């Protein structure tokens, strides 16, 4: 049976709570969701029929600042998935010590089945339905699976129209022309790259000699595959929703990215040397770095024993279950947890939010330099704790994140 992601998120809290010997009141508080809004979104489709979609926006915690987190359009979206993703955002912003909380949203829809007009209507009506619980000092959505800068622009416009003035800070990941930030689109991939570089230094490995496998070829998977390919690494397998492809001597990532950017699927890519492989075989391929950059619940107790790499770098949120974590830890595989590895996206979202507030925009060099500074500091702290306490990088990262939240809860107290 598929793992319920929110149950998994709560289990992760229990693991770290035990390690930290956390007081039961705080434990309860950490597992609590501040608010969940479920909305019904009616859309007049192009053919004149009405279709109803269900949407969600969840705030896990705003204790350290406004809620922050992406918006996902996918048939896999449900309340428990969004709750888990919101919870993971709280740890992510806390680990980076950003003055933000954790939130997430989504609509249960296959966006590829909608016309552009229908997609716009869906986005605008959804924004109108959640308007009271978003805003620059309440909760700031951003892109996630199957959402992009155009969708953020529609949200920003709908929100601004309702408020009677332009409010770019209501979302991040916007087009640059209307208050977006340079470097936001590639930020998650850049963050993955900085963290990987730092870890391989610790392990005395050589970047260029690494063999890489990437699950997912969207914004995150595509960017990190491209960055590593440009550094001379062999990316031996990648996958999208249609298939995985494998080539021992290294795939031509440049060509594959061009192919994907034109809206094509990997299953239609022609190269006689490349072999098509399924998802499970892709994950079990022998490599140095496995980068799950698709969806949650991919490395489980069923396949963890067969994972054959030195490093798992979590581009996706929640790709590894707690049971699989234990197995990978015993095997000596370094798992760089999602809340650290993929935190580059939310970090540059924070920069975008700051730039919008100040109406002053930074250059790409500054974005990447500040991103590197913040993410490497979080990595060093996490690595140090994991070594000192002989625990996984995930538990170490959670200790840092949870400590900050716990302290904030203690200081603020419980109202009334
Ligand atoms: N969706 C991204 C994440 O899961 C980015 C969130 C954001 O920028 O707020 O981290």
């Amino acid at each position: 049976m598929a793992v319920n992601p929110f149950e998994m998120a709560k289990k992760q809290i229990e693991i770290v709570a035990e390690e930290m010997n956390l007081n039961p009141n705080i434990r309860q508080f950490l597992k609590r969701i501040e608010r969940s809004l479920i909305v019904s979104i009616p859309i007049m489709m192009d053919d004149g029929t009405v279709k109803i979609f269900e949407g969600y926006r969840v705030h896990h915690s705003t204790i350290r600042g406004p809620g922050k987190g992406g918006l996902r359009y996918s048939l896999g979206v449900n309340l428990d998935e969004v709750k888990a993703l919101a919870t993971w955002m709280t740890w992510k912003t806390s680990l980076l010590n950003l003055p933000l909380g954790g939130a997430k949203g989504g609509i249960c829809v296959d966006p590829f089945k909608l016309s552009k007009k229908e997609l716009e209507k869906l986005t605008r009506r959804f924004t109108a339905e959640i308007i009271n619980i978003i805003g620059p000092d309440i909760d700031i959505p951003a892109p996630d699976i199957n959402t992009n800068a155009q969708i953020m622009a529609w949200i920003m416009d709908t929100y601004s129209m309702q408020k009677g003035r332009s409010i770019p800070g209501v979302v991040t990941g916007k087009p640059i022309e209307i208050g977006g930030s340079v470097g936001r689109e590639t930020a998650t991939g850049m963050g993955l790259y900085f963290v990987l570089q730092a870890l391989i230094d610790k392990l005395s490995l050589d970047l260029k000699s690494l063999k890489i496998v990437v699950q997912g070829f969207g914004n995150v998977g595509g960017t990190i595959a491209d960055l590593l390919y440009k550094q001379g690494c062999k990316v031996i397998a990648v996958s999208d929703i249609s298939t995985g492809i494998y080539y021992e001597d290294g795939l031509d990532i440049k060509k594959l990215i061009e192919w994907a950017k034109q809206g094509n699927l990997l299953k239609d890519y022609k190269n006689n040397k490349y072999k098509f492989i399924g998802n499970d075989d892709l994950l079990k391929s022998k490599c140095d770095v496995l980068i799950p950059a698709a969806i949650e619940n991919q490395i489980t107790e069923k396949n963890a024993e067969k994972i054959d790499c030195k490093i798992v770098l979590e581009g996706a949120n929640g790709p590894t279950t707690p049971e699989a974590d234990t197995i990978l830890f015993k095997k000596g595989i370094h798992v760089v947890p999602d809340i650290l590895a993929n935190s580059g996206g939310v970090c540059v979202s924070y920069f975008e939010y700051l730039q919008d507030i100040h109406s002053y925009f930074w250059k790409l060099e500054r974005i990447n330099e500040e991103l590197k500074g913040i993410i490497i500091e979080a990595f060093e702290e996490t690595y140090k704790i994991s070594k000192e306490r002989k625990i996984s990088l995930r538990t170490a990262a959670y200790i840092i994140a949870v400590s900050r939240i716990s302290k904030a809860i203690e200081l603020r107290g419980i109202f009334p």
Side-chain angles (χ1 to χ4, degrees):
M1 226 192 59
V3 179
N4 175 319
F6 189 48
E7 291 308 318
M8 172 173 147
K10 287 191 282 191
K11 199 178 252 177
Q12 290 167 329
I13 298 172
E14 269 310 316
I15 293 170
V16 70
E18 280 302 308
E19 178 68 33
M20 293 170 74
N21 207 7
L22 264 191
N23 127 9
N25 286 342
I26 300 277
R27 288 184 196 209
Q28 279 197 64
F29 215 100
L30 298 175
K31 289 188 207 158
R32 156 185 182 264
I33 295 287
E34 274 178 21
R35 64 186 63 79
S36 309
L37 182 59
I38 306 179
V39 298
S40 154
I41 314 159
I43 298 300
M44 177 73 78
M45 305 296 280
D46 293 349
D47 66 3
T49 61
V50 171
K51 272 208 179 133
I52 315 278
F53 298 91
E54 193 153 273
Y56 311 86
R57 189 73 194 172
V58 169
H59 299 168
H60 169 253
S61 171
T62 55
I63 196 118
R64 298 183 65 259
K68 187 82 196 83
L71 189 61
R72 167 176 297 197
Y73 287 180
S74 146
L75 287 176
V77 168
N78 58 57
L79 185 59
D80 272 358
E81 186 193 55
V82 179
K83 281 182 178 176
L85 291 162
T87 308
W88 292 327
M89 285 310 300
T90 302
W91 314 141
K92 207 183 287 188
T93 54
S94 176
L95 176 64
L96 295 194
N97 210 0
L98 306 176
L100 296 167
K104 202 87 177 194
I107 302 177
C108 181
V109 60
D110 178 354
F112 300 104
K113 294 232 167 82
L114 301 185
S115 69
K116 191 169 176 194
K117 210 165 124 203
E118 291 164 344
L119 193 65
E120 178 173 351
K121 280 192 203 168
L122 180 80
T123 303
R124 288 188 183 275
R125 179 64 188 251
F126 175 67
T127 309
E129 296 291 344
I130 63 163
I131 202 150
N132 291 326
I133 65 159
I134 58 169
D137 47 12
I138 306 173
D139 168 22
I140 308 133
D144 197 81
I145 294 175
N146 298 337
T147 55
N148 55 26
Q150 175 61 75
I151 289 174
M152 297 306 118
W154 290 328
I155 298 177
M156 180 270 203
D157 184 69
T158 306
Y159 187 83
S160 299
M161 288 298 114
Q162 295 302 315
K163 301 287 171 185
R165 63 189 192 282
S166 200
I167 307 179
V170 63
V171 279
T172 57
K174 295 177 293 293
I176 289 166
E177 296 81 352
I178 54 166
S181 175
V182 289
R184 174 60 187 86
E185 210 152 292
T186 50
T188 310
M190 281 307 280
L192 284 169
Y193 178 71
F194 291 142
V195 170
L196 179 62
Q197 240 182 353
L199 179 62
I200 64 167
D201 274 357
K202 299 272 184 219
L203 304 177
S204 304
L205 296 169
D206 168 38
L207 184 74
K208 287 190 182 2
S209 67
L210 297 180
K211 283 194 175 169
I212 315 282
V213 168
V214 186
Q215 182 200 34
F217 209 53
N219 174 282
V220 180
T223 306
I224 185 66
D226 188 40
L227 285 168
L228 292 172
Y229 175 76
K230 282 181 181 147
Q231 289 301 316
C233 299
K234 269 191 191 141
V235 182
I236 58 169
V238 295
S239 68
D240 65 5
I241 41 162
S242 70
T243 186
I245 51 173
Y246 180 93
Y247 182 46
E248 176 77 52
D249 292 341
L251 302 160
D252 187 334
I253 295 298
K254 191 165 179 270
K255 288 212 175 110
L256 289 171
I257 284 186
E258 274 164 26
W259 179 255
K261 279 215 169 117
Q262 285 157 15
N264 297 308
L265 291 169
L266 292 177
K267 75 174 171 45
D268 300 318
Y269 191 79
K270 304 257 174 318
N271 184 323
N272 292 338
K273 291 190 205 131
Y274 295 0
K275 203 171 85 190
F276 289 115
I277 56 168
N279 196 38
D280 217 42
D281 287 336
L282 175 116
L283 293 170
K284 291 177 191 159
S285 305
K286 185 177 170 52
C287 62
D288 298 299
V289 187
L290 171 63
I291 309 179
I295 51 169
E296 55 273 13
N297 199 15
Q298 296 302 297
I299 305 177
T300 67
E301 57 194 329
K302 290 208 185 88
N303 58 10
E305 207 58 69
K306 300 247 170 65
I307 300 291
D308 194 359
C309 63
K310 298 190 180 87
I311 297 168
V312 172
L313 185 66
E314 295 187 338
N317 293 312
T320 313
T321 65
E323 293 75 18
D325 254 338
T326 310
I327 299 170
L328 297 179
F329 188 66
K330 281 198 190 125
K331 280 167 69 91
I333 296 176
H334 302 269
V335 179
V336 189
D338 46 8
I339 61 167
L340 172 62
N342 73 33
S343 63
V346 75
C347 188
V348 177
S349 272
Y350 173 61
F351 299 159
E352 178 173 333
Y353 166 80
L354 293 180
Q355 293 170 86
D356 288 339
I357 291 172
H358 296 135
S359 280
Y360 179 79
F361 291 86
W362 309 355
K363 297 231 173 351
L364 185 60
E365 293 69 37
R366 176 167 176 198
I367 296 281
N368 284 336
E369 195 183 305
E370 300 226 12
L371 166 63
K372 189 171 180 181
I374 291 178
I375 211 164
I376 293 301
E377 192 179 324
F379 169 79
E380 290 294 345
E381 239 183 304
T382 303
Y383 191 80
K384 186 162 163 264
I385 293 178
S386 86
K387 284 283 145 226
E388 278 168 7
R389 298 174 82 138
K390 299 190 172 50
I391 53 177
S392 68
L393 289 168
R394 185 176 332 269
T395 307
Y398 267 61
I399 288 178
I400 300 166
V402 165
S403 303
R404 285 198 183 112
I405 307 280
S406 305
K407 190 72 200 165
I409 295 170
E410 268 170 43
L411 288 167
R412 286 182 60 160
I414 295 180
F415 176 82

